[in-house]
């Protein structure tokens, strides 16, 4: 069982930055694929970024086209945490951001087993 808790959301002006954190429980967290998703009211939840173990100490990172070059996902397995550094924020980045995890990386984008409750990000123009 994995529990995920997001934090770091808030109100920021366009062009600003925020760093979201996802704190996880679980002794084998380093093997989990972890992703960030977001959802704005009236819209479908969308993938933002992910990190998945690819062997040894190597992790594969993936990003949605809409955030490439602006967002960076990272993880600190010693702290059981995954971060999303968001820069050059735009009003269209406004959404509730969710952290999700699954031991099976193939499930992460479609039906991950574990979800956090989300943290709100509002970007004002």
């Amino acid at each position: 069982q994995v529990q995920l808790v997001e934090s770091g959301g808030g109100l920021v002006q366009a062009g600003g930055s925020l760093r979201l954190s996802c704190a996880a429980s679980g002794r084998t967290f380093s093997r989990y694929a972890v992703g960030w998703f977001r959802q704005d009211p009236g819209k479908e939840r969308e993938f933002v970024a992910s990190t998945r173990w690819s062997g040894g100490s190597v992790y594969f990172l993936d990003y949605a086209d809409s955030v490439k070059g602006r967002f960076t996902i990272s993880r600190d397995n010693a702290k059981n945490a995954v971060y999303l550094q968001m820069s050059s924020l735009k009003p269209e980045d406004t959404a509730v951001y969710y952290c999700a995890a699954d031991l099976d990386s193939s499930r992460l984008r479609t039906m991950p087993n574990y979800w956090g409750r989300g943290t709100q990000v509002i970007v004002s123009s």
Side-chain angles (χ1 to χ4, degrees), residues 24-47:
S25 63
R27 291 179 293 177
T28 59
F29 178 70
S30 63
R31 297 290 190 259
Y32 277 77
V34 182
W36 286 97
F37 298 78
R38 65 187 182 187
Q39 187 169 23
D40 208 15
K43 297 182 181 179
E44 291 188 357
R45 187 174 293 179
E46 64 173 345
F47 166 79

Side-chain angles (χ1 to χ4, degrees), residues 1 17 19 45 64 68 84 86 110:
Q1 187 77 9
S17 299
R19 187 196 196 205
R45 187 174 293 179
K68 278 181 182 176
L84 186 68
M86 306 186 296
T110 54

